[in-house]
Amino acid sequence: MSVSRLASVLPRAARHAPSALSRAILRPFSTSKARLARAIVYTENGDPASVLQALTIPDVTNKPPPSHAHVRFLLSPINPADINVIEGVYPSRPTKTDNLGTREGLGSEGHPVFVGGNEGLAQVVSVGEGVEGLREGDWVVVTKQQSGTWMSERIVPVVDVAKVPGREALTEAQAATLTVNPPTAYNMLHDFVDLKEGDWVVQNGANSAVGQAVIQIAAAKGIKTINLVRNRENLDELKQSLTNLGATHVLTYDELADKAVREKIKGWTKGKEIRLGLNCIGGKETTMMARLLGKDAHLVSYGAMSKQPLSLPTSLFIFKNLTAHGFWQSQWYKTRSAEERDELMKTIVQLIAEKKLDTPEIEVVKIGKEESDTAASETIRGVFKALSEGKYGKKVLLKLD
């Protein structure tokens, strides 16, 4: 079931019967002419389908202070890591705020909340004194980790955002997803092995947003990929979709377990050793994949979707001199200069402009201003319930009017 269909069947009776909490939030603004904005918040860690809620807040009306900008969010992705953040199991954690402008209740002084979201595209509404290089109408992406992007708008320090280069070549969806998945794919393909045209890479989780970016960036450089996915009902359709992106071969983990297939892989590579493996799964699936790697290869892990330990045969280290790494794009940003970060973004934008890289299939979840907080909360919780059940494979982008 798609998110849009899911949202359409969620209860809407609450629009006409706001909760006591909603009434408390809305009361201070009911007689004023102030516009209203929205934020997706939570007060404690837990299952996103249970703890997330929509909160009506005052729209920004004041001029930004010096070195700040007033931005209005256009699209904010929902990434797998966002789920882990809300659950409280992700290393990078947000900070609670009680400065959302509400006069009482959640988000007001003494009643702090977490604002969800780590990645987002916004448009500059106005800038404060001393701001250079940004002006009204510019597109920016948030660069500060866990700063809260699931909002209609907010005032941000300009050091926490970066101007999107070459925005005329990008759709909103492409710009909104610039800072996490494509950079992860690009850096893993470039930072560990000096890959040349004709070299081979093997990866699991190949249908993920990062996996699809790996396929496209590798294909643009003439690098061949073996891509592993789990078995499913629409397997042939998925294999064709990844092949259309540039995948050289697509296999399921069940197929990989067949020794005959492993011999077939040797024929595909014509004896050329696979020097780079990319892992976001863990568990036995990664153990099988690691056995495909050749001498002096590198295994890079950037996720653990199976929630199982990474188990590697000692023989791979002794006889093949395997090197295992962990990769976290957030850490890359923390340790690199602003010039390096800007150069990476320009490179990703150039790949998109040249039609060598695109976003996965997307679905926009729109929450309108006419929805009550109760109804909007049901919608966002329904989205996360659908995500946890794996009912669709599209990338979800959030739009708050």
Side-chain angles (χ1 to χ4, degrees), residues 78-92:
I78 297 176
N79 292 312
D82 294 322
I83 298 174
N84 298 143
V85 170
I86 297 166
E87 292 171 334
V89 297
Y90 198 72
S92 179

Side-chain angles (χ1 to χ4, degrees), residues 80-348:
D82 294 322
I83 298 174
N84 298 143
V85 170
I86 297 166
E87 292 171 334
V89 297
Y90 198 72
S92 179
R93 300 188 180 189
T95 302
K96 279 188 173 182
T97 178
D98 60 2
N99 191 29
L100 293 182
T102 52
R103 297 180 184 176
E104 58 182 81
L106 296 181
S108 66
E109 185 175 356
H111 302 278
V113 294
F114 296 111
V115 179
N118 179 57
E119 187 180 24
L121 169 69
Q123 188 166 33
V124 176
V125 177
S126 60
V127 297
E129 293 182 6
V131 174
E132 298 181 358
L134 280 184
R135 62 182 181 180
E136 181 181 346
D138 283 345
W139 279 3
V140 295
V141 290
V142 177
T143 56
K144 181 181 178 181
Q145 299 301 302
Q146 308 304 334
S147 56
T149 59
W150 297 347
M151 298 183 69
S152 303
E153 58 187 294
R154 70 185 309 170
I155 300 292
V156 297
V158 293
V159 295
D160 292 346
V161 298
K163 182 178 177 180
V164 176
R167 60 165 284 188
E168 63 278 357
L170 305 176
T171 65
E172 287 187 1
Q174 289 169 335
T177 55
L178 274 178
T179 59
V180 177
N181 296 318
T184 298
Y186 185 89
N187 286 330
M188 290 193 303
L189 285 171
H190 289 81
D191 288 2
F192 300 95
V193 178
D194 183 17
L195 296 169
K196 306 294 185 183
E197 183 176 355
D199 284 344
W200 288 82
V201 173
V202 61
Q203 67 164 338
N204 55 31
N207 58 316
S208 68
V210 172
Q212 292 184 50
V214 165
I215 290 170
Q216 295 174 81
I217 295 170
K221 293 190 63 176
I223 297 167
K224 300 179 181 180
T225 56
I226 297 173
N227 303 276
L228 305 177
V229 299
R230 63 178 176 83
N231 209 350
R232 63 194 69 211
E233 291 182 0
N234 63 337
L235 180 60
D236 290 340
E237 180 182 340
L238 174 61
K239 285 187 173 184
Q240 188 58 56
S241 175
L242 297 182
T243 299
N244 292 343
L245 289 179
T248 312
H249 298 285
V250 183
L251 294 170
T252 66
Y253 304 113
D254 294 338
E255 290 172 324
L256 184 59
D258 186 341
K259 291 183 179 180
V261 170
R262 281 181 272 176
E263 289 300 316
K264 184 185 294 186
I265 292 173
K266 292 179 182 179
W268 292 342
T269 63
K270 297 180 179 178
K272 196 167 190 176
E273 294 188 327
I274 302 173
R275 301 170 56 211
L276 180 64
L278 305 178
N279 163 50
C280 67
I281 302 296
K284 64 179 182 180
E285 289 84 1
T286 302
T287 305
M288 289 192 296
M289 183 184 77
R291 294 185 185 277
L292 301 178
L293 296 173
K295 188 176 180 181
D296 297 324
H298 294 255
L299 176 66
V300 182
S301 296
Y302 64 100
M305 294 174 63
S306 71
K307 297 183 179 179
Q308 298 298 313
L310 179 61
S311 179
L312 299 173
T314 304
S315 60
L316 295 183
F317 294 97
I318 296 175
F319 302 115
K320 288 190 175 182
N321 196 33
L322 175 68
T323 302
H325 309 263
F327 182 81
W328 188 24
Q329 186 61 37
S330 296
Q331 186 66 25
W332 190 95
Y333 284 128
K334 289 179 182 178
T335 58
R336 301 302 176 107
S337 66
E339 291 75 17
E340 287 177 296
R341 295 194 296 268
D342 289 345
E343 187 61 33
L344 175 61
M345 188 177 297
K346 290 178 183 178
T347 299
I348 299 299

Side-chain angles (χ1 to χ4, degrees), residues 66-79:
S67 302
H68 285 67
H70 172 196
V71 302
R72 183 166 293 127
F73 284 99
L74 303 177
L75 287 175
S76 299
I78 297 176
N79 292 312

